[in-house]
Amino acid sequence: MEMTILFYVFAVLTVGSAFAVVFARSLIYSAFSLLFTFMGVAGLYVLLSADFIAVAQIMVYIGGILILLVFGVMLTRQVTDVEIRTSAFRTLPATVVVGLALGTLIVIFIRTKWMQVHTIPDIEGTTMELGELLLTTFVLPFEVAGILLLVAIMGAALIARR
Amino acid sequence: MESLLQSLLGDNLLTLVLYCALPLVFLLLYALLAILGEVKISAFMQDRLGPMRTGPWGIIQPLADVLKLLQKEDVTPARADKFLFNLAPYLSFMAAYAAFAVIPFSSQYVGADLNLGAFYFLAIGSLNVAAIMMAGWASHNKYSLYGAMRSVAQIVSYEVPAAMMLVIVVLFVGSLNLQDIITAQSGPFWNWMVFGGPKADVQLASGEVLGASWTNLVFLPLFLGAFLMYYITALAETNRTPFDIPEAESELVSGYHTEYSGMKFAMFFMSEYANMFLVSAVTAILFFGGWNSPFGVYLGDIWDAQWLVGLEQFGWLAFKGLFFVFVIIWLRWTLPRLRVDQLMYMCWKVLIPFSFGIALIVGFLVVVLK
């Protein structure tokens, strides 16, 4: 019962703030609405017993990506003094692309055989298992992702120095 | 603790809310103490008396300050973004208070006994960064904006070494649960991390046994270095001297909360003090045994009174936390402010390489010695 109420609280938070991200006139409002979307998604992860992913969500998306976004918006507006507004242009191609993406998602959604979990297994934290999998079965993708990020950091530092 | 509340009030929502609100009671009392501490300690360091008129020895000065803040006019600048301007202080305090959820105040009280306590503590700190940005941007004032940007750049940079210090202790204990990290340091004070960790096998809450012997003394210099570096990053993350560049009064009035007055200013003030206690408590938890008594025994055990043990443990954590808060205040009146380039040099070229080095050596030793 409480879980259902909590689920709806987080679901409304996620979807509501996601709408605000899309429809806000000012870009800074969009960016800050994204904060609540990320929080809501983290809450949903907790309800799904994915505790590590939930905390990683807060750490990476709120602590990293959101801050970067807001920084970008703030610097552009205050330095160049240009009011950044969201507006609609090239509506037709956008509609086509988004419509295709939506169609694909719906088709996949319908075709997938969803697994029905009747009893939720008592999960005592997923960190240990995740860590083991990352360093045994999935060690190659894990390392490749790490190297990719390292190269990205070096590239960013190089560009910033120019 | 939760079962005690349940037996008093029954198993309902009220119990849960009360249980979650306990740290807030502590926080409010601590803030009053810290306000008095800040003015009095600064006065002694500068050979002054400090406030003396309100009550004997100026002891009710913090209450007078609170009363003043409560009745101040709530000003919102005309060009400010009203919605975000009003939201920011609450978000900031919420972020600070959310981190208290995983702080174990005693072996019986911890808001949420998460397996991921240490990781959660790191992650939730980033919410405060968003709140600072919001305040700085919404104020529509160059001092606020510069203060916010400096503050955010500083916190984001210093998060890296702070996280590495946590990782070092987590590597050693093998658990992200803060309660486990404290249990690993139980016994007399030479079992604390800062003295090289436990010297005999300890059983963690999960039932696992952490093997340990006197060879752990090799960790002493490593953990001592880690402690000092964590404390330095803690100072930077709470924007305290010598890292108070974001609030530099002589340049920026008072940084991101320049435009705030009355209760909204008080919220920022509260969250700053809450963060100060938070990093101090985490320093105590990681390196100084958390709620463990330094003598390894509790009066409650001697007198056969179990309820006293919990209170004593809370007392020890509060004492250690407040001691580190005292050191933060002490440093404020001792050290001059760093320059921005010195701040970044300190973080990226000193703290980060050394923290990676210590983490590598500790990881290597943990594998070799176990």
Side-chain angles (χ1 to χ4, degrees):
Chain A
M1 184 55 200
E2 286 100 341
M3 284 301 221
T4 322
I5 296 173
L6 274 177
F7 170 76
Y8 280 111
V9 168
F10 283 121
V12 167
L13 182 70
T14 312
V15 177
S17 56
F19 269 108
V21 172
V22 181
F23 291 112
R25 296 286 292 152
S26 153
L27 205 59
I28 201 96
Y29 267 81
S30 298
F32 280 124
S33 307
L34 209 54
L35 172 75
F36 296 98
T37 316
F38 290 149
M39 289 286 280
V41 173
L44 292 178
Y45 282 141
V46 171
L47 293 182
L48 289 170
S49 306
D51 51 356
F52 187 83
I53 305 288
V55 181
Q57 161 87 11
I58 295 179
M59 184 109 191
V60 174
Y61 283 93
I62 296 178
I65 291 173
L66 182 85
I67 301 297
L68 198 69
L69 257 172
V70 178
F71 237 82
V73 175
M74 263 170 41
L75 284 173
T76 346
R77 168 157 173 199
Q78 297 290 335
V79 174
T80 59
D81 222 25
V82 179
E83 193 82 3
I84 306 172
R85 291 272 160 191
T86 39
S87 56
F89 59 96
R90 295 211 185 104
T91 326
L92 191 68
T95 318
V96 173
V97 172
V98 173
L100 277 175
L102 184 69
T104 322
L105 278 178
I106 288 175
V107 167
I108 293 173
F109 189 76
I110 293 169
R111 282 201 172 177
T112 310
K113 282 215 169 85
W114 295 99
M115 203 164 48
Q116 284 272 329
V117 181
H118 291 290
T119 49
I120 300 163
D122 195 24
I123 300 170
E124 266 294 304
T126 52
T127 322
M128 188 90 91
E129 287 77 11
L130 266 177
E132 259 179 32
L133 281 177
L134 276 181
L135 289 180
T136 51
T137 320
F138 299 108
V139 69
L140 186 68
F142 180 66
E143 291 293 327
V144 168
I147 289 170
L148 182 74
L149 288 175
L150 183 67
V151 172
I153 292 173
M154 283 160 63
L158 202 73
I159 293 171
R161 279 216 146 190
R162 285 232 176 104
Chain B
M1 192 70 199
E2 198 174 4
S3 53
L4 176 76
L5 270 176
Q6 268 171 6
S7 63
L8 283 176
L9 297 162
D11 188 11
N12 53 29
L13 200 66
L14 185 68
T15 317
L16 204 64
V17 170
L18 267 181
Y19 189 70
C20 300
L22 282 176
L24 191 63
V25 178
F26 169 74
L27 200 56
L28 292 172
L29 290 174
Y30 147 77
L32 291 180
L33 189 69
I35 295 171
L36 187 69
E38 184 107 54
V39 287
K40 277 294 182 184
I41 293 166
S42 71
F44 293 143
M45 296 206 172
Q46 296 169 341
D47 204 12
R48 296 183 282 119
L49 282 173
M52 290 298 279
R53 307 243 171 151
T54 34
W57 198 66
I59 207 152
I60 53 172
Q61 182 64 37
L63 282 176
D65 283 348
V66 170
L67 210 65
K68 182 194 76 177
L69 281 174
L70 272 172
Q71 54 177 339
K72 274 230 168 157
E73 190 191 348
D74 182 35
V75 184
T76 309
R79 291 197 63 196
D81 189 315
K82 301 237 161 29
F83 179 68
L84 292 180
F85 185 82
N86 291 328
L87 183 64
Y90 301 102
L91 195 68
S92 173
F93 185 70
M94 192 196 93
Y97 193 61
F100 273 88
V102 290
I103 299 297
F105 281 95
S106 80
S107 60
Q108 277 125 51
Y109 183 86
V110 50
D113 194 11
L114 282 187
N115 275 326
L116 289 165
F119 190 35
Y120 172 87
F121 170 74
L122 280 178
I124 211 74
S126 54
L127 212 60
N128 196 28
V129 179
I132 289 175
M133 281 271 262
M134 205 182 267
W137 188 84
S139 298
H140 209 281
N141 167 325
K142 61 185 170 207
Y143 299 123
S144 302
L145 189 72
Y146 275 119
M149 299 230 283
R150 284 184 184 186
S151 179
V152 170
Q154 178 172 324
I155 295 175
V156 169
S157 307
Y158 277 81
E159 248 173 21
V160 182
M164 284 314 288
M165 295 309 142
L166 267 159
V167 164
I168 289 166
V169 175
V170 167
L171 259 179
F172 182 85
V173 179
S175 169
L176 281 162
N177 190 332
L178 290 177
Q179 202 71 281
D180 273 350
I181 291 174
I182 295 173
T183 316
Q185 306 174 62
S186 47
F189 65 87
W190 57 77
N191 287 337
W192 293 353
M193 285 300 169
V194 74
F195 299 116
K199 304 296 183 292
D201 292 1
V202 272
Q203 193 177 20
L204 301 180
S206 54
E208 277 176 60
V209 175
L210 181 70
S213 65
W214 280 92
T215 47
N216 274 347
L217 273 178
V218 295
F219 287 106
L220 195 148
L222 296 169
F223 283 146
L224 194 65
F227 153 64
L228 288 174
M229 280 157 67
Y230 182 77
Y231 201 60
I232 292 170
T233 59
L235 287 176
E237 289 208 354
T238 47
N239 294 339
R240 295 290 298 198
T241 329
F243 304 105
D244 64 340
I245 300 165
E247 282 170 37
E249 300 97 337
S250 43
E251 309 160 33
L252 292 181
V253 191
S254 81
Y256 60 87
H257 52 59
T258 303
E259 295 286 357
Y260 285 89
S261 62
M263 271 322 278
K264 280 185 274 184
F265 170 74
M267 292 295 267
F268 273 120
F269 198 73
M270 276 291 286
S271 80
E272 191 185 319
Y273 273 80
N275 274 326
M276 253 162 76
F277 183 77
L278 211 58
V279 292
S280 302
V282 170
T283 310
I285 288 165
L286 291 179
F287 299 103
F288 287 86
W291 40 253
N292 279 309
S293 149
F295 312 113
V297 285
Y298 298 101
L299 285 176
D301 281 334
I302 297 171
W303 296 339
D304 206 24
Q306 271 306 307
W307 57 272
L308 195 61
V309 177
L311 274 183
E312 267 180 87
Q313 288 172 337
F314 167 69
W316 281 116
L317 183 84
F319 173 75
K320 289 168 187 170
L322 289 180
F323 174 76
F324 285 115
V325 171
F326 164 71
V327 178
I328 292 177
I329 295 173
W330 174 10
L331 287 174
R332 178 171 175 193
W333 303 103
T334 310
L335 297 174
R337 190 181 300 141
L338 289 178
R339 283 199 319 261
V340 177
D341 62 315
Q342 290 170 330
L343 173 94
M344 287 299 159
Y345 176 87
M346 178 80 183
C347 178
W348 292 100
K349 296 198 171 166
V350 181
L351 290 176
I352 289 182
F354 272 99
S355 61
F356 277 127
I358 295 183
L360 272 177
I361 300 173
V362 169
F364 177 75
L365 283 176
V366 165
V367 173
V368 169
L369 292 178
K370 284 178 189 168

